[in-house]
Amino acid sequence: MSVGGSELRLRLSNVYGTSPLKVGKVTVTPRSDALAGTPTVDPDKLVPVAFGGRSSVTIPVGVEWVSDPVRLDVPDDTDLVISTYFPGPTGPLTQHPAGYATGFSAAGDQTGSAGTAYAAIPGMARYVIEGVDVKSRVRGSVVLFGDSITDGVVSPVDKNLRYPDQLADRLLALPGWRELGVLNAGISGNRLLANAGTAGDSALARFDRDVLGQTAARSVVLLEGINDIGNSRGATDPADLIAVHRHFIQRAREAGLKVFGATLTPYEGAGYYSVEGEADRQALNHWIRTSGEYDGVVDFDRAVRDPQQPGRMLPAYDVGDHLHPNAEGFKAMAAAFDLAALTR
């Protein structure tokens, strides 16, 4: 969680399920950093979650379900452990494949246990949980909308060092200030114009749900387009990408949100790099910087590029694939935000 509060509600999803999803029981509790990467919790602090006053709920195919409010004090910058019991076969579970936090499973109803029965699930997917709303004193949240770079690909698991995490840390460190939550709406492999299987619906298709549908969203930062450019080897017309950005700006403003454009980071040396694609990236970045159509610009390109080779990421920030930043690169991205403009 970026900010805490005195009450929360869970959003469970069966958007991509193939049959109604029976959820038998759910509990939730905060977890200390010392227990990160483990299933261990204090069973005396597990709080049951209700749905319309009942402990169980069946979620129809294609929809999201919101829990009743749960009274629970959640500190700022705290992980939550959410335990969900499925009493029968589920079929494919809606999931976020790159949660970058260890998940665990166990047989039977273990929602009230201390965690000893659990074993780590291979991978790092986050199942069924669409999001968490917190009742607090903050006025709203900024939605960071993007692809794998926002998602935090190759970020250290269980460390919360993605650029959205580090932006949240910057905001919490402001003296006497606590007014903006940070929501990570990144999906690895996501594209502006095309659906991409486990990389999610296109940004165009998911914008309403993942940005405008967020509770108390105040602003959005747009970082999308590199996968369209890379996967097409430069055959994507930058004008098509700009048209989608303009559509997002219009839709966000109609909903009362501020809109910030983020420049695409360097990718020379990546597996899908091409000279034509680099020209497209530069064209889109030039428009983002100079169009004047956003409420502000976050120049991630300038924050992480190598000054000697501007088409490449600075080696100290490169995880090694010449596309994704490492934890230090994410720190540089978080530092690129003008917090005064973001919180105004």
Side-chain angles (χ1 to χ4, degrees):
M1 309 298 293
S2 59
V3 294
S6 60
E7 197 171 282
L8 59 83
R9 61 185 185 186
L10 308 182
R11 299 200 309 272
L12 277 59
S13 177
N14 193 27
V15 167
Y16 299 105
T18 57
S19 60
L21 179 64
K22 176 66 179 291
V23 178
K25 191 175 181 181
V26 180
T27 60
V28 61
T29 187
R31 179 182 67 190
S32 70
D33 289 345
L35 295 175
T38 79
T40 304
V41 297
D42 182 345
D44 293 333
K45 294 183 178 179
L46 289 166
V47 178
V49 179
F51 303 87
R54 306 173 66 178
S55 62
S56 65
V57 64
T58 298
I59 306 174
V61 173
V63 303
E64 176 188 287
W65 207 272
V66 181
S67 77
D68 297 346
V70 179
R71 292 193 60 81
L72 179 65
D73 288 328
V74 180
D76 295 334
D77 197 25
T78 300
D79 283 348
L80 292 179
V81 177
I82 301 168
S83 300
T84 310
Y85 168 54
F86 304 108
T90 64
L93 287 172
T94 297
Q95 61 179 277
H96 184 88
Y100 283 88
T102 309
F104 302 89
S105 66
D109 180 5
Q110 301 291 338
T111 56
S113 77
T116 55
Y118 285 90
I121 300 171
M124 50 195 163
R126 182 176 294 122
Y127 296 91
V128 178
I129 300 299
E130 169 80 9
V132 181
D133 296 333
V134 179
K135 184 178 181 180
S136 71
R137 291 174 295 169
V138 303
R139 292 190 296 159
S141 295
V142 54
V143 183
L144 305 179
F145 187 68
D147 48 42
S148 57
I149 294 174
T150 302
D151 206 359
V153 159
V154 200
S155 178
V157 177
D158 295 314
K159 299 297 185 182
N160 296 323
L161 290 173
R162 296 154 287 212
Y163 99 75
D165 301 314
Q166 299 200 52
L167 173 62
D169 292 342
R170 283 192 68 199
L171 289 165
L172 288 171
L174 290 175
W177 191 91
R178 192 172 168 279
E179 291 195 24
L180 195 67
V182 176
L183 305 181
N184 187 334
I187 300 180
S188 297
N190 202 228
R191 304 185 196 182
L192 276 172
L193 300 170
N195 294 338
T198 57
D201 298 333
S202 72
L204 189 59
R206 71 185 183 94
F207 186 79
D208 281 21
R209 180 187 68 217
D210 291 351
V211 177
L212 305 185
Q214 297 287 357
T215 304
R218 287 177 53 192
S219 57
V220 56
V221 178
L222 305 175
L223 177 62
E224 283 266 16
I226 196 64
N227 289 320
D228 299 80
I229 290 170
N231 283 294
S232 70
R233 298 304 193 275
T236 299
D237 187 340
D240 293 336
L241 304 180
I242 290 169
V244 178
H245 274 251
R246 281 182 164 142
H247 173 74
F248 289 160
I249 292 169
Q250 178 183 353
R251 295 285 293 118
R253 290 233 173 94
E254 288 172 350
L257 275 64
K258 287 186 176 180
V259 191
F260 296 84
T263 54
L264 303 186
T265 52
Y267 82 120
E268 183 176 343
Y272 60 17
Y273 175 82
S274 66
V275 173
E276 296 80 6
E278 174 63 7
D280 293 343
R281 184 182 76 91
Q282 294 289 354
L284 179 59
N285 280 354
H286 177 74
W287 180 82
I288 290 170
R289 290 186 180 108
T290 64
S291 69
E293 297 191 32
Y294 300 98
D295 294 294
V297 172
V298 187
D299 203 337
F300 289 147
D301 173 49
R302 185 169 288 123
V304 302
R305 71 190 181 195
D306 185 341
Q308 305 304 316
Q309 304 177 85
R312 287 181 174 266
M313 193 176 299
L314 192 72
Y317 295 158
D318 189 346
V319 78
D321 65 2
H322 312 301
L323 176 65
H324 297 102
N326 57 22
E328 285 302 309
F330 286 138
K331 182 177 181 179
M333 292 177 68
F337 282 84
D338 178 347
L339 297 188
L342 189 64
T343 58
R344 189 173 298 126

